[in-house]
Amino acid sequence: MVLTDDHHHHHHHRPVEEVLNNNNNNGRGRNVNITASPARVEGKRKAMVVCWFLGIGSLFCWNSMLTIEDYYGFLFPRYHPTRVITLAYQPFALGTISVLTYYEAKINTRRRNLFGFSLFFLSSLMVLILDLATSGKGGIGAFIGVCIIAAAFGLADAFVQGGIVGDLSFMDPDFIQSFLAGVAASGALTSALRIVTKAAFENSKNGLRKGALLFFAISAFFEFLCLLLYALIFPKLPIIKYYRSKAANEGSKTVTSDLVAGGIQMQSPQDQNDDRLSNKELFIQNIDYAIDLYLIYVLTLSIFPGFLSEDTGAHSLGSWYAIVLIAMYNVLDLVGRYTPLINWLRITSRKGLMVATIARFLFIPAFYFTAKYGGQGWMIFLTALLGLTNGHLTVCVLTTAPEGYKGPEQNALGNILVLFLLAGIFSGVTLDWLWLIGKGW
């Protein structure tokens, strides 16, 4: 599982001694007052498991909402629920992450993430309550309610994704990989559940509704689990305390309450963090990584899920087809988030990442022609490949970019990159509307 650290020194735009200083992967960072070697290893496996669950929690709600779209399509046939719900979610996610990234250095990360998971939990319960209160009837009121809940998910998503990626950016790259794998696992899990509920409830009376309620009950359970894990287990793991103390020593002000939760009191550091790069400088130095993430997600979301659920050409799977395609995408997205652990597959060169990202745009003509002339086998294959490249490149970019920076800078950079990821999703979803308008919607 654990990678060797010999591929970490490839940033040419920073003085070598600085990279060596900050890239002390053997754990003897500068002025860290905690015995490094034994504590360093302790709890790594546990931390990776927790990160994985936090990843599931950060997207489970959203995936559940996307996955039960056929229920909403049945409840609100006139309102284009799939696309409208996405449109309720995305601006909130993007707007919130912009504000949070701007103020990142002053924000208490612990409170930020706990707020996000609590909001996820409460909103999942709200979906259930709303459905039970309206006894599963449609209408504009219920639809507006669903849209408001989708907006709350967007808000929570921005708190959690940026917060956790920022937090993990000054730790072990394997933690980010694990978190991102969890994010994809939430998709694979919802897809699997969807197939099971469709098979189980398909023919029963209001089977769709039973499936939908089951989804959000599970969703609420997962969010509650994440809340407990993040609040109680995570801050007490030795390896997490180690990295957070190291970040505090490097001038990070965002980890204070995390350290208190782990039972560590910091001596107030003499303000030596004035030499940290500003967000603008960080952005300029990493502009290519930001563009990579933006382009990865613009492409993915202009095809998936809207194009797949509506423009997929001839097939024999009937109502199963979109579900199978989305499941294929999700499963291979998950696989793709583990492939960077294989050393020779991990792309670390900045040029390589950019080339790979741009090459993915060949998917657009490929999908277009496959939908027009190809069979379902090709469509499933293409969708799987879309997922695989999406997962692989996301992990490559987010684990490579923070290398060689100080704790507070890595935290800021993690937030900046997630901002671009969400911006890409937003643009992709908007482009997805253009497919519709193009068809004379």
Coordinates of all heavy atoms in Angstrom, one line a residue, residues 128-167:
L128 N -35.9 12.7 3.8 CA -36.8 11.7 4.3 C -38.1 12.4 4.9 O -39.2 12.0 4.5 CB -36.2 10.9 5.4 CG -35.0 9.9 5.0 CD1 -34.4 9.3 6.2 CD2 -35.5 8.9 4.1
I129 N -37.9 13.4 5.7 CA -39.0 14.0 6.4 C -40.0 14.7 5.3 O -41.2 14.5 5.3 CB -38.5 15.1 7.4 CG1 -37.8 14.4 8.5 CG2 -39.7 15.9 7.9 CD1 -37.0 15.4 9.4
L130 N -39.3 15.3 4.3 CA -40.1 16.0 3.3 C -41.0 15.0 2.5 O -42.1 15.2 2.3 CB -39.1 16.7 2.3 CG -39.8 17.4 1.1 CD1 -40.5 18.7 1.5 CD2 -38.8 17.7 0.0
D131 N -40.3 13.8 2.2 CA -41.1 12.8 1.4 C -42.2 12.2 2.3 O -43.3 12.0 1.8 CB -40.1 11.7 1.0 CG -40.8 10.9 -0.2 OD1 -40.7 11.3 -1.3 OD2 -41.4 9.9 0.1
L132 N -41.9 12.0 3.5 CA -43.0 11.4 4.4 C -44.1 12.4 4.7 O -45.3 12.0 4.7 CB -42.3 10.9 5.7 CG -41.3 9.7 5.5 CD1 -40.6 9.5 6.8 CD2 -42.0 8.5 5.0
A133 N -43.7 13.7 4.8 CA -44.7 14.7 5.2 C -45.6 14.9 4.0 O -46.8 15.1 4.2 CB -44.0 16.0 5.5
T134 N -45.1 14.9 2.8 CA -45.9 15.1 1.6 C -46.5 13.8 1.1 O -47.1 13.7 0.0 CB -45.2 15.8 0.4 OG1 -44.0 14.9 0.1 CG2 -44.7 17.1 0.8
S135 N -46.3 12.7 1.9 CA -46.7 11.3 1.6 C -46.4 11.0 0.1 O -47.3 10.5 -0.6 CB -48.1 11.1 2.0 OG -49.0 12.0 1.5
G136 N -45.2 11.4 -0.3 CA -44.7 11.0 -1.6 C -45.5 11.5 -2.8 O -45.6 10.9 -3.8
K137 N -46.1 12.7 -2.6 CA -46.8 13.4 -3.7 C -45.9 14.4 -4.3 O -45.1 15.0 -3.6 CB -48.1 14.0 -3.2 CG -49.1 12.9 -2.9 CD -50.5 13.5 -2.7 CE -51.5 12.4 -2.4 NZ -51.0 11.3 -1.5
G138 N -46.1 14.7 -5.6 CA -45.2 15.7 -6.2 C -45.7 17.1 -5.9 O -46.2 17.4 -4.8
G139 N -45.7 18.0 -6.9 CA -46.2 19.3 -6.8 C -45.0 20.3 -6.6 O -43.9 19.9 -6.3
I140 N -45.3 21.6 -6.9 CA -44.2 22.6 -6.9 C -43.6 22.8 -5.6 O -42.4 23.0 -5.4 CB -44.7 23.9 -7.5 CG1 -43.6 24.9 -7.7 CG2 -45.9 24.5 -6.7 CD1 -42.7 24.6 -8.9
G141 N -44.4 22.7 -4.5 CA -43.9 22.9 -3.1 C -42.9 21.9 -2.8 O -41.8 22.2 -2.4
A142 N -43.2 20.6 -3.0 CA -42.2 19.6 -2.7 C -41.0 19.7 -3.6 O -39.9 19.5 -3.1 CB -42.9 18.2 -3.0
F143 N -41.2 20.1 -4.8 CA -40.0 20.3 -5.7 C -39.1 21.4 -5.2 O -37.9 21.2 -5.2 CB -40.5 20.6 -7.1 CG -39.4 20.6 -8.1 CD1 -38.7 19.5 -8.4 CD2 -39.1 21.8 -8.9 CE1 -37.6 19.5 -9.3 CE2 -38.1 21.8 -9.8 CZ -37.4 20.7 -10.0
I144 N -39.7 22.5 -4.8 CA -38.8 23.6 -4.3 C -38.1 23.1 -3.0 O -36.9 23.4 -2.9 CB -39.7 24.8 -4.0 CG1 -40.2 25.4 -5.3 CG2 -38.9 25.8 -3.2 CD1 -41.2 26.5 -5.2
G145 N -38.8 22.3 -2.2 CA -38.2 21.7 -1.0 C -37.0 20.9 -1.4 O -35.9 21.0 -0.8
V146 N -37.1 20.0 -2.4 CA -36.0 19.2 -2.9 C -34.8 20.0 -3.4 O -33.7 19.8 -3.1 CB -36.5 18.2 -4.0 CG1 -35.3 17.5 -4.7 CG2 -37.4 17.2 -3.4
C147 N -35.2 21.1 -4.1 CA -34.1 22.0 -4.6 C -33.4 22.7 -3.5 O -32.2 22.9 -3.5 CB -34.7 23.0 -5.6 SG -35.2 22.3 -7.1
I148 N -34.1 23.1 -2.4 CA -33.5 23.7 -1.3 C -32.5 22.7 -0.6 O -31.4 23.1 -0.2 CB -34.5 24.3 -0.3 CG1 -35.2 25.5 -0.9 CG2 -33.8 24.7 1.0 CD1 -36.4 26.0 -0.1
I149 N -33.0 21.5 -0.5 CA -32.1 20.5 0.1 C -30.8 20.3 -0.7 O -29.7 20.1 -0.2 CB -32.9 19.2 0.4 CG1 -33.9 19.4 1.4 CG2 -31.9 18.1 0.8 CD1 -34.9 18.3 1.6
A150 N -31.0 20.2 -2.1 CA -29.9 20.1 -3.0 C -28.9 21.2 -2.8 O -27.7 21.0 -2.8 CB -30.4 20.0 -4.4
A151 N -29.4 22.5 -2.6 CA -28.6 23.6 -2.3 C -27.8 23.4 -1.0 O -26.6 23.7 -0.9 CB -29.4 24.9 -2.3
A152 N -28.5 22.9 0.0 CA -27.8 22.6 1.3 C -26.7 21.6 1.1 O -25.6 21.7 1.7 CB -28.8 22.1 2.3
F153 N -26.9 20.6 0.3 CA -25.9 19.6 0.0 C -24.7 20.3 -0.7 O -23.5 20.0 -0.4 CB -26.4 18.5 -1.0 CG -27.3 17.5 -0.3 CD1 -28.2 16.8 -1.1 CD2 -27.2 17.2 1.0 CE1 -29.0 15.8 -0.5 CE2 -28.0 16.3 1.6 CZ -28.9 15.6 0.8
G154 N -25.0 21.2 -1.6 CA -23.9 22.0 -2.2 C -23.0 22.8 -1.2 O -21.8 22.8 -1.3
L155 N -23.7 23.4 -0.3 CA -23.1 24.2 0.7 C -22.2 23.2 1.6 O -21.0 23.5 1.8 CB -24.2 24.8 1.6 CG -23.8 25.9 2.5 CD1 -23.6 27.1 1.6 CD2 -25.0 26.3 3.5
A156 N -22.7 22.1 2.0 CA -22.0 21.2 2.8 C -20.8 20.6 2.1 O -19.7 20.5 2.6 CB -22.9 20.1 3.3
D157 N -21.0 20.3 0.8 CA -19.9 19.8 0.0 C -18.7 20.7 -0.1 O -17.6 20.3 0.1 CB -20.5 19.6 -1.5 CG -19.5 18.9 -2.4 OD1 -18.6 18.3 -1.9 OD2 -19.6 19.1 -3.6
A158 N -19.0 22.0 -0.2 CA -17.9 23.0 -0.3 C -17.1 23.0 1.0 O -15.9 23.1 1.1 CB -18.4 24.4 -0.7
F159 N -17.9 22.9 2.1 CA -17.2 22.9 3.4 C -16.3 21.7 3.6 O -15.2 21.8 4.0 CB -18.3 23.0 4.6 CG -18.7 24.3 4.9 CD1 -19.7 25.0 4.2 CD2 -18.2 25.0 6.0 CE1 -20.1 26.3 4.5 CE2 -18.6 26.3 6.4 CZ -19.5 26.9 5.6
V160 N -16.9 20.6 3.3 CA -16.1 19.3 3.5 C -15.0 19.1 2.5 O -13.9 18.8 2.9 CB -17.1 18.1 3.5 CG1 -16.4 16.8 3.5 CG2 -18.0 18.2 4.8
Q161 N -15.3 19.1 1.2 CA -14.3 18.8 0.2 C -13.1 19.6 0.3 O -12.0 19.1 0.4 CB -14.8 18.8 -1.2 CG -15.8 17.7 -1.5 CD -15.5 17.0 -2.8 OE1 -14.4 16.8 -3.2 NE2 -16.6 16.6 -3.5
G162 N -13.3 20.9 0.3 CA -12.1 21.8 0.4 C -11.4 21.7 1.8 O -10.2 21.6 1.9
G163 N -12.3 21.5 2.8 CA -11.7 21.4 4.2 C -10.8 20.2 4.3 O -9.7 20.3 4.9
I164 N -11.3 19.1 3.9 CA -10.6 17.8 4.1 C -9.4 17.8 3.2 O -8.3 17.4 3.6 CB -11.5 16.6 3.9 CG1 -12.7 16.7 4.9 CG2 -10.7 15.3 4.1 CD1 -12.6 15.9 6.1
V165 N -9.6 18.1 1.9 CA -8.4 18.1 1.0 C -7.3 19.0 1.5 O -6.1 18.7 1.5 CB -8.8 18.4 -0.5 CG1 -7.6 18.6 -1.4 CG2 -9.7 17.3 -1.0
G166 N -7.7 20.2 2.0 CA -6.8 21.2 2.5 C -6.0 20.6 3.7 O -4.8 20.6 3.8
D167 N -6.8 19.9 4.6 CA -6.3 19.3 5.8 C -5.3 18.2 5.4 O -4.2 18.0 6.0 CB -7.4 18.7 6.6 CG -7.3 18.9 8.1 OD1 -6.4 19.7 8.5 OD2 -8.1 18.4 8.8

